[in-house]
Amino acid sequence: LELEPRDYVGADGRIDMRRLLVRFISFFRENGEILESDQAYREVAPQLVMMAFLQGVVNGQGQVLREYGLGRGRIDLLLRWPYVDSEGRSCWQQEALELKVWRDKDKDPLDAGLAQLDGYLERLDLDHGVLVLFDRRTQATPLAERITTADDKTPKGRPVQVLRA
């Protein structure tokens, strides 16, 4: 999947996270089944793919910062993208992403993910974020059927885009 800034950068020079998630969904639909068949990396493969995808998006212009919490079943990502605001000043757009994996023994990680993202957004002084939930349960529906997006809110009312894959 080749990405050009026009695929995900709006007229204001900022990354449009909805458009970016649509591009990731397309990429994951095309490549996700292969990842699911590899038992050696079954648990971390989706997270690595998301990080690699975002790194390709920023491609030297921005940054993907990682705050690992893998022992707690999560990984936080901060996407930083340079843009020029309406007054001609150089600025950094920051987009926070919380990635969670839904495993056989666990309950749906939506509520925990929204709460963790809320804390991450508070620390970064951001008013919105993205929660990505990778369903790695053995009885999960086929990948093409389970990829969905929805709008939700954190416990403190911050808007969140939720991607289930």
Side-chain angles (χ1 to χ4, degrees), residues 79-118:
L79 178 65
R80 297 187 76 227
W81 182 257
Y83 73 100
V84 177
D85 72 8
S86 60
E87 296 178 16
R89 294 179 299 214
S90 295
C91 301
W92 284 97
Q93 175 186 357
Q94 294 193 117
E95 298 290 343
L97 295 94
E98 173 80 18
L99 279 58
K100 298 201 63 70
V101 175
W102 189 359
R103 296 176 182 87
D104 282 325
K105 62 181 175 14
D106 300 333
K107 66 177 187 169
D108 185 339
L110 177 65
D111 291 338
L114 289 170
Q116 285 179 336
L117 182 57
D118 211 10

mmCIF file of all heavy atoms in Angstrom, residues 79-118:
data_model
loop_
_atom_site.group_PDB
_atom_site.id
_atom_site.type_symbol
_atom_site.label_atom_id
_atom_site.label_comp_id
_atom_site.label_asym_id
_atom_site.label_seq_id
_atom_site.Cartn_x
_atom_site.Cartn_y
_atom_site.Cartn_z
ATOM 1 N N LEU A 79 1.508 10.065 17.558
ATOM 2 C CA LEU A 79 1.864 10.478 16.213
ATOM 3 C C LEU A 79 2.052 11.987 16.238
ATOM 4 O O LEU A 79 1.146 12.721 16.667
ATOM 5 C CB LEU A 79 0.741 10.078 15.249
ATOM 6 C CG LEU A 79 0.882 10.456 13.796
ATOM 7 C CD1 LEU A 79 2.058 9.722 13.170
ATOM 8 C CD2 LEU A 79 -0.402 10.126 13.050
ATOM 9 N N ARG A 80 3.233 12.446 15.830
ATOM 10 C CA ARG A 80 3.511 13.889 15.782
ATOM 11 C C ARG A 80 3.750 14.274 14.332
ATOM 12 O O ARG A 80 4.538 13.635 13.646
ATOM 13 C CB ARG A 80 4.731 14.239 16.639
ATOM 14 C CG ARG A 80 4.492 13.931 18.118
ATOM 15 C CD ARG A 80 5.626 14.418 18.994
ATOM 16 N NE ARG A 80 5.512 15.861 19.141
ATOM 17 C CZ ARG A 80 6.523 16.719 18.989
ATOM 18 N NH1 ARG A 80 7.734 16.287 18.717
ATOM 19 N NH2 ARG A 80 6.335 18.008 19.137
ATOM 20 N N TRP A 81 3.053 15.322 13.872
ATOM 21 C CA TRP A 81 3.103 15.724 12.476
ATOM 22 C C TRP A 81 3.278 17.240 12.391
ATOM 23 O O TRP A 81 2.505 17.992 12.984
ATOM 24 C CB TRP A 81 1.800 15.304 11.780
ATOM 25 C CG TRP A 81 1.752 15.626 10.337
ATOM 26 C CD1 TRP A 81 1.076 16.660 9.752
ATOM 27 C CD2 TRP A 81 2.400 14.932 9.280
ATOM 28 N NE1 TRP A 81 1.266 16.640 8.402
ATOM 29 C CE2 TRP A 81 2.070 15.585 8.079
ATOM 30 C CE3 TRP A 81 3.229 13.811 9.231
ATOM 31 C CZ2 TRP A 81 2.549 15.162 6.847
ATOM 32 C CZ3 TRP A 81 3.698 13.386 8.010
ATOM 33 C CH2 TRP A 81 3.363 14.054 6.836
ATOM 34 N N PRO A 82 4.283 17.710 11.634
ATOM 35 C CA PRO A 82 4.480 19.157 11.509
ATOM 36 C C PRO A 82 3.489 19.766 10.512
ATOM 37 O O PRO A 82 3.140 19.158 9.511
ATOM 38 C CB PRO A 82 5.913 19.257 10.976
ATOM 39 C CG PRO A 82 6.100 18.002 10.190
ATOM 40 C CD PRO A 82 5.290 16.946 10.902
ATOM 41 N N TYR A 83 3.044 20.960 10.824
ATOM 42 C CA TYR A 83 2.189 21.709 9.901
ATOM 43 C C TYR A 83 2.368 23.192 10.178
ATOM 44 O O TYR A 83 2.957 23.586 11.187
ATOM 45 C CB TYR A 83 0.721 21.279 10.023
ATOM 46 C CG TYR A 83 0.039 21.751 11.280
ATOM 47 C CD1 TYR A 83 -0.798 22.868 11.275
ATOM 48 C CD2 TYR A 83 0.219 21.081 12.489
ATOM 49 C CE1 TYR A 83 -1.426 23.297 12.437
ATOM 50 C CE2 TYR A 83 -0.410 21.506 13.645
ATOM 51 C CZ TYR A 83 -1.226 22.611 13.612
ATOM 52 O OH TYR A 83 -1.836 23.039 14.751
ATOM 53 N N VAL A 84 1.869 24.008 9.281
ATOM 54 C CA VAL A 84 1.915 25.460 9.436
ATOM 55 C C VAL A 84 0.493 25.922 9.685
ATOM 56 O O VAL A 84 -0.419 25.615 8.907
ATOM 57 C CB VAL A 84 2.506 26.128 8.179
ATOM 58 C CG1 VAL A 84 2.481 27.641 8.306
ATOM 59 C CG2 VAL A 84 3.919 25.622 7.928
ATOM 60 N N ASP A 85 0.285 26.635 10.790
ATOM 61 C CA ASP A 85 -1.074 27.064 11.125
ATOM 62 C C ASP A 85 -1.508 28.243 10.257
ATOM 63 O O ASP A 85 -0.750 28.729 9.411
ATOM 64 C CB ASP A 85 -1.207 27.360 12.619
ATOM 65 C CG ASP A 85 -0.518 28.631 13.087
ATOM 66 O OD1 ASP A 85 -0.034 29.421 12.244
ATOM 67 O OD2 ASP A 85 -0.465 28.844 14.305
ATOM 68 N N SER A 86 -2.724 28.699 10.468
ATOM 69 C CA SER A 86 -3.308 29.752 9.630
ATOM 70 C C SER A 86 -2.572 31.091 9.748
ATOM 71 O O SER A 86 -2.737 31.957 8.899
ATOM 72 C CB SER A 86 -4.788 29.943 9.973
ATOM 73 O OG SER A 86 -4.927 30.309 11.333
ATOM 74 N N GLU A 87 -1.757 31.234 10.799
ATOM 75 C CA GLU A 87 -0.985 32.467 10.978
ATOM 76 C C GLU A 87 0.461 32.313 10.515
ATOM 77 O O GLU A 87 1.291 33.178 10.766
ATOM 78 C CB GLU A 87 -1.048 32.899 12.443
ATOM 79 C CG GLU A 87 -2.472 33.249 12.875
ATOM 80 C CD GLU A 87 -2.556 33.630 14.337
ATOM 81 O OE1 GLU A 87 -1.506 33.917 14.955
ATOM 82 O OE2 GLU A 87 -3.678 33.642 14.858
ATOM 83 N N GLY A 88 0.765 31.177 9.868
ATOM 84 C CA GLY A 88 2.099 30.958 9.323
ATOM 85 C C GLY A 88 3.121 30.419 10.309
ATOM 86 O O GLY A 88 4.301 30.371 10.006
ATOM 87 N N ARG A 89 2.671 30.007 11.496
ATOM 88 C CA ARG A 89 3.584 29.469 12.502
ATOM 89 C C ARG A 89 3.759 27.969 12.318
ATOM 90 O O ARG A 89 2.805 27.243 12.033
ATOM 91 C CB ARG A 89 3.051 29.731 13.906
ATOM 92 C CG ARG A 89 2.993 31.193 14.290
ATOM 93 C CD ARG A 89 2.429 31.340 15.675
ATOM 94 N NE ARG A 89 1.068 30.795 15.671
ATOM 95 C CZ ARG A 89 0.072 31.253 16.393
ATOM 96 N NH1 ARG A 89 0.265 32.246 17.228
ATOM 97 N NH2 ARG A 89 -1.125 30.726 16.329
ATOM 98 N N SER A 90 4.972 27.489 12.541
ATOM 99 C CA SER A 90 5.238 26.053 12.524
ATOM 100 C C SER A 90 4.704 25.442 13.811
ATOM 101 O O SER A 90 4.973 25.942 14.901
ATOM 102 C CB SER A 90 6.739 25.782 12.415
ATOM 103 O OG SER A 90 7.220 26.243 11.173
ATOM 104 N N CYS A 91 3.932 24.364 13.679
ATOM 105 C CA CYS A 91 3.303 23.702 14.821
ATOM 106 C C CYS A 91 3.471 22.194 14.699
ATOM 107 O O CYS A 91 3.863 21.683 13.651
ATOM 108 C CB CYS A 91 1.806 24.021 14.866
ATOM 109 S SG CYS A 91 1.421 25.766 15.004
ATOM 110 N N TRP A 92 3.143 21.504 15.783
ATOM 111 C CA TRP A 92 3.119 20.041 15.789
ATOM 112 C C TRP A 92 1.715 19.571 16.128
ATOM 113 O O TRP A 92 1.200 19.897 17.197
ATOM 114 C CB TRP A 92 4.097 19.474 16.823
ATOM 115 C CG TRP A 92 5.520 19.534 16.386
ATOM 116 C CD1 TRP A 92 6.425 20.503 16.715
ATOM 117 C CD2 TRP A 92 6.208 18.602 15.555
ATOM 118 N NE1 TRP A 92 7.637 20.226 16.129
ATOM 119 C CE2 TRP A 92 7.532 19.058 15.411
ATOM 120 C CE3 TRP A 92 5.826 17.421 14.912
ATOM 121 C CZ2 TRP A 92 8.475 18.378 14.653
ATOM 122 C CZ3 TRP A 92 6.777 16.747 14.156
ATOM 123 C CH2 TRP A 92 8.076 17.225 14.028
ATOM 124 N N GLN A 93 1.114 18.812 15.243
ATOM 125 C CA GLN A 93 -0.129 18.109 15.530
ATOM 126 C C GLN A 93 0.245 16.859 16.317
ATOM 127 O O GLN A 93 1.198 16.167 15.976
ATOM 128 C CB GLN A 93 -0.822 17.718 14.232
ATOM 129 C CG GLN A 93 -2.052 16.872 14.424
ATOM 130 C CD GLN A 93 -2.628 16.393 13.097
ATOM 131 O OE1 GLN A 93 -2.143 16.743 12.019
ATOM 132 N NE2 GLN A 93 -3.670 15.586 13.176
ATOM 133 N N GLN A 94 -0.500 16.560 17.368
ATOM 134 C CA GLN A 94 -0.265 15.344 18.140
ATOM 135 C C GLN A 94 -1.547 14.524 18.162
ATOM 136 O O GLN A 94 -2.618 15.060 18.447
ATOM 137 C CB GLN A 94 0.161 15.670 19.576
ATOM 138 C CG GLN A 94 1.505 16.361 19.640
ATOM 139 C CD GLN A 94 2.040 16.400 21.043
ATOM 140 O OE1 GLN A 94 3.077 15.831 21.310
ATOM 141 N NE2 GLN A 94 1.354 17.056 21.961
ATOM 142 N N GLU A 95 -1.416 13.239 17.849
ATOM 143 C CA GLU A 95 -2.539 12.305 17.846
ATOM 144 C C GLU A 95 -2.165 11.107 18.706
ATOM 145 O O GLU A 95 -1.167 10.435 18.438
ATOM 146 C CB GLU A 95 -2.877 11.845 16.421
ATOM 147 C CG GLU A 95 -3.301 12.968 15.497
ATOM 148 C CD GLU A 95 -4.670 13.556 15.834
ATOM 149 O OE1 GLU A 95 -5.449 12.905 16.567
ATOM 150 O OE2 GLU A 95 -4.962 14.666 15.371
ATOM 151 N N ALA A 96 -2.949 10.849 19.739
ATOM 152 C CA ALA A 96 -2.688 9.745 20.654
ATOM 153 C C ALA A 96 -3.484 8.516 20.231
ATOM 154 O O ALA A 96 -4.673 8.617 19.930
ATOM 155 C CB ALA A 96 -3.052 10.140 22.079
ATOM 156 N N LEU A 97 -2.803 7.362 20.235
ATOM 157 C CA LEU A 97 -3.445 6.094 19.914
ATOM 158 C C LEU A 97 -3.170 5.104 21.029
ATOM 159 O O LEU A 97 -2.030 4.982 21.487
ATOM 160 C CB LEU A 97 -2.890 5.510 18.605
ATOM 161 C CG LEU A 97 -3.158 6.296 17.332
ATOM 162 C CD1 LEU A 97 -2.000 7.222 17.035
ATOM 163 C CD2 LEU A 97 -3.371 5.344 16.186
ATOM 164 N N GLU A 98 -4.209 4.421 21.443
ATOM 165 C CA GLU A 98 -4.092 3.331 22.412
ATOM 166 C C GLU A 98 -4.382 2.048 21.644
ATOM 167 O O GLU A 98 -5.408 1.933 20.981
ATOM 168 C CB GLU A 98 -5.103 3.522 23.547
ATOM 169 C CG GLU A 98 -5.183 2.380 24.521
ATOM 170 C CD GLU A 98 -4.075 2.396 25.550
ATOM 171 O OE1 GLU A 98 -3.441 3.449 25.747
ATOM 172 O OE2 GLU A 98 -3.850 1.347 26.163
ATOM 173 N N LEU A 99 -3.470 1.083 21.704
ATOM 174 C CA LEU A 99 -3.653 -0.205 21.049
ATOM 175 C C LEU A 99 -3.835 -1.273 22.109
ATOM 176 O O LEU A 99 -3.056 -1.351 23.053
ATOM 177 C CB LEU A 99 -2.421 -0.557 20.202
ATOM 178 C CG LEU A 99 -2.311 0.066 18.812
ATOM 179 C CD1 LEU A 99 -2.322 1.562 18.846
ATOM 180 C CD2 LEU A 99 -1.082 -0.444 18.100
ATOM 181 N N LYS A 100 -4.879 -2.070 21.935
ATOM 182 C CA LYS A 100 -5.142 -3.151 22.882
ATOM 183 C C LYS A 100 -5.429 -4.432 22.109
ATOM 184 O O LYS A 100 -5.943 -4.390 21.003
ATOM 185 C CB LYS A 100 -6.324 -2.821 23.789
ATOM 186 C CG LYS A 100 -6.041 -1.579 24.640
ATOM 187 C CD LYS A 100 -6.858 -1.442 25.859
ATOM 188 C CE LYS A 100 -6.737 -2.452 26.910
ATOM 189 N NZ LYS A 100 -5.526 -2.495 27.677
ATOM 190 N N VAL A 101 -5.091 -5.546 22.728
ATOM 191 C CA VAL A 101 -5.328 -6.857 22.138
ATOM 192 C C VAL A 101 -6.376 -7.590 22.972
ATOM 193 O O VAL A 101 -6.280 -7.638 24.196
ATOM 194 C CB VAL A 101 -4.021 -7.685 22.086
ATOM 195 C CG1 VAL A 101 -4.288 -9.088 21.576
ATOM 196 C CG2 VAL A 101 -2.987 -6.986 21.215
ATOM 197 N N TRP A 102 -7.380 -8.141 22.298
ATOM 198 C CA TRP A 102 -8.427 -8.926 22.954
ATOM 199 C C TRP A 102 -8.062 -10.392 22.802
ATOM 200 O O TRP A 102 -8.084 -10.954 21.716
ATOM 201 C CB TRP A 102 -9.763 -8.627 22.298
ATOM 202 C CG TRP A 102 -10.964 -9.201 22.991
ATOM 203 C CD1 TRP A 102 -10.989 -9.965 24.114
ATOM 204 C CD2 TRP A 102 -12.318 -9.036 22.586
ATOM 205 N NE1 TRP A 102 -12.278 -10.281 24.440
ATOM 206 C CE2 TRP A 102 -13.121 -9.731 23.520
ATOM 207 C CE3 TRP A 102 -12.934 -8.373 21.537
ATOM 208 C CZ2 TRP A 102 -14.505 -9.776 23.418
ATOM 209 C CZ3 TRP A 102 -14.311 -8.422 21.438
ATOM 210 C CH2 TRP A 102 -15.086 -9.117 22.369
ATOM 211 N N ARG A 103 -7.693 -11.009 23.927
ATOM 212 C CA ARG A 103 -7.268 -12.412 23.941
ATOM 213 C C ARG A 103 -8.395 -13.304 24.461
ATOM 214 O O ARG A 103 -9.346 -12.821 25.058
ATOM 215 C CB ARG A 103 -6.035 -12.561 24.823
ATOM 216 C CG ARG A 103 -4.832 -11.795 24.296
ATOM 217 C CD ARG A 103 -3.649 -11.896 25.269
ATOM 218 N NE ARG A 103 -2.509 -11.139 24.793
ATOM 219 C CZ ARG A 103 -2.299 -9.855 25.024
ATOM 220 N NH1 ARG A 103 -3.139 -9.157 25.752
ATOM 221 N NH2 ARG A 103 -1.224 -9.259 24.543
ATOM 222 N N ASP A 104 -8.249 -14.604 24.258
ATOM 223 C CA ASP A 104 -9.273 -15.575 24.658
ATOM 224 C C ASP A 104 -9.709 -15.423 26.113
ATOM 225 O O ASP A 104 -10.880 -15.475 26.412
ATOM 226 C CB ASP A 104 -8.773 -17.008 24.423
ATOM 227 C CG ASP A 104 -8.851 -17.395 22.964
ATOM 228 O OD1 ASP A 104 -9.789 -16.959 22.281
ATOM 229 O OD2 ASP A 104 -7.970 -18.140 22.503
ATOM 230 N N LYS A 105 -8.770 -15.253 27.009
ATOM 231 C CA LYS A 105 -9.100 -15.256 28.436
ATOM 232 C C LYS A 105 -9.644 -13.912 28.935
ATOM 233 O O LYS A 105 -10.129 -13.817 30.058
ATOM 234 C CB LYS A 105 -7.858 -15.636 29.242
ATOM 235 C CG LYS A 105 -6.706 -14.652 29.085
ATOM 236 C CD LYS A 105 -5.503 -15.103 29.880
ATOM 237 C CE LYS A 105 -4.281 -14.352 29.757
ATOM 238 N NZ LYS A 105 -3.847 -13.231 29.321
ATOM 239 N N ASP A 106 -9.606 -12.892 28.101
ATOM 240 C CA ASP A 106 -9.979 -11.547 28.528
ATOM 241 C C ASP A 106 -11.402 -11.179 28.120
ATOM 242 O O ASP A 106 -11.968 -11.758 27.205
ATOM 243 C CB ASP A 106 -9.029 -10.518 27.904
ATOM 244 C CG ASP A 106 -7.581 -10.734 28.307
ATOM 245 O OD1 ASP A 106 -7.344 -11.280 29.397
ATOM 246 O OD2 ASP A 106 -6.697 -10.366 27.515
ATOM 247 N N LYS A 107 -11.941 -10.150 28.798
ATOM 248 C CA LYS A 107 -13.214 -9.584 28.354
ATOM 249 C C LYS A 107 -12.910 -8.496 27.318
ATOM 250 O O LYS A 107 -11.754 -8.081 27.151
ATOM 251 C CB LYS A 107 -14.012 -9.042 29.532
ATOM 252 C CG LYS A 107 -13.393 -7.847 30.232
ATOM 253 C CD LYS A 107 -14.304 -7.357 31.347
ATOM 254 C CE LYS A 107 -13.737 -6.066 31.905
ATOM 255 N NZ LYS A 107 -14.640 -5.385 32.786
ATOM 256 N N ASP A 108 -13.932 -8.032 26.663
ATOM 257 C CA ASP A 108 -13.787 -6.980 25.648
ATOM 258 C C ASP A 108 -12.995 -5.813 26.253
ATOM 259 O O ASP A 108 -13.390 -5.268 27.291
ATOM 260 C CB ASP A 108 -15.165 -6.527 25.190
ATOM 261 C CG ASP A 108 -15.131 -5.521 24.058
ATOM 262 O OD1 ASP A 108 -14.107 -4.853 23.845
ATOM 263 O OD2 ASP A 108 -16.164 -5.393 23.381
ATOM 264 N N PRO A 109 -11.888 -5.402 25.629
ATOM 265 C CA PRO A 109 -11.031 -4.360 26.208
ATOM 266 C C PRO A 109 -11.507 -2.926 25.961
ATOM 267 O O PRO A 109 -10.796 -1.982 26.295
ATOM 268 C CB PRO A 109 -9.685 -4.606 25.524
ATOM 269 C CG PRO A 109 -10.039 -5.199 24.214
ATOM 270 C CD PRO A 109 -11.277 -6.015 24.445
ATOM 271 N N LEU A 110 -12.698 -2.743 25.424
ATOM 272 C CA LEU A 110 -13.161 -1.399 25.097
ATOM 273 C C LEU A 110 -13.140 -0.462 26.305
ATOM 274 O O LEU A 110 -12.533 0.609 26.252
ATOM 275 C CB LEU A 110 -14.573 -1.447 24.493
ATOM 276 C CG LEU A 110 -15.187 -0.081 24.189
ATOM 277 C CD1 LEU A 110 -14.405 0.648 23.100
ATOM 278 C CD2 LEU A 110 -16.650 -0.232 23.798
ATOM 279 N N ASP A 111 -13.796 -0.838 27.393
ATOM 280 C CA ASP A 111 -13.883 0.057 28.554
ATOM 281 C C ASP A 111 -12.513 0.352 29.155
ATOM 282 O O ASP A 111 -12.196 1.510 29.470
ATOM 283 C CB ASP A 111 -14.809 -0.534 29.619
ATOM 284 C CG ASP A 111 -16.267 -0.546 29.173
ATOM 285 O OD1 ASP A 111 -16.629 0.243 28.276
ATOM 286 O OD2 ASP A 111 -17.038 -1.346 29.721
ATOM 287 N N ALA A 112 -11.683 -0.685 29.294
ATOM 288 C CA ALA A 112 -10.332 -0.475 29.834
ATOM 289 C C ALA A 112 -9.512 0.404 28.894
ATOM 290 O O ALA A 112 -8.760 1.273 29.344
ATOM 291 C CB ALA A 112 -9.634 -1.815 30.053
ATOM 292 N N GLY A 113 -9.676 0.201 27.604
ATOM 293 C CA GLY A 113 -8.937 1.002 26.629
ATOM 294 C C GLY A 113 -9.350 2.459 26.659
ATOM 295 O O GLY A 113 -8.506 3.358 26.585
ATOM 296 N N LEU A 114 -10.649 2.708 26.769
ATOM 297 C CA LEU A 114 -11.125 4.097 26.857
ATOM 298 C C LEU A 114 -10.592 4.772 28.114
ATOM 299 O O LEU A 114 -10.186 5.939 28.081
ATOM 300 C CB LEU A 114 -12.652 4.135 26.829
ATOM 301 C CG LEU A 114 -13.301 3.790 25.490
ATOM 302 C CD1 LEU A 114 -14.809 3.614 25.657
ATOM 303 C CD2 LEU A 114 -12.986 4.840 24.430
ATOM 304 N N ALA A 115 -10.564 4.039 29.230
ATOM 305 C CA ALA A 115 -10.047 4.607 30.480
ATOM 306 C C ALA A 115 -8.546 4.886 30.374
ATOM 307 O O ALA A 115 -8.072 5.947 30.805
ATOM 308 C CB ALA A 115 -10.335 3.659 31.643
ATOM 309 N N GLN A 116 -7.794 3.939 29.807
ATOM 310 C CA GLN A 116 -6.351 4.154 29.662
ATOM 311 C C GLN A 116 -6.073 5.312 28.708
ATOM 312 O O GLN A 116 -5.205 6.148 28.968
ATOM 313 C CB GLN A 116 -5.662 2.884 29.174
ATOM 314 C CG GLN A 116 -5.547 1.845 30.261
ATOM 315 C CD GLN A 116 -4.888 0.565 29.772
ATOM 316 O OE1 GLN A 116 -4.889 0.246 28.589
ATOM 317 N NE2 GLN A 116 -4.329 -0.177 30.699
ATOM 318 N N LEU A 117 -6.823 5.379 27.619
ATOM 319 C CA LEU A 117 -6.641 6.471 26.668
ATOM 320 C C LEU A 117 -6.968 7.809 27.317
ATOM 321 O O LEU A 117 -6.285 8.806 27.088
ATOM 322 C CB LEU A 117 -7.504 6.237 25.430
ATOM 323 C CG LEU A 117 -7.390 7.268 24.309
ATOM 324 C CD1 LEU A 117 -5.953 7.420 23.821
ATOM 325 C CD2 LEU A 117 -8.305 6.883 23.151
ATOM 326 N N ASP A 118 -7.974 7.833 28.170
ATOM 327 C CA ASP A 118 -8.336 9.060 28.877
ATOM 328 C C ASP A 118 -7.145 9.590 29.685
ATOM 329 O O ASP A 118 -6.834 10.781 29.650
ATOM 330 C CB ASP A 118 -9.524 8.792 29.798
ATOM 331 C CG ASP A 118 -10.435 9.995 29.981
ATOM 332 O OD1 ASP A 118 -10.282 10.993 29.255
ATOM 333 O OD2 ASP A 118 -11.317 9.915 30.842
#
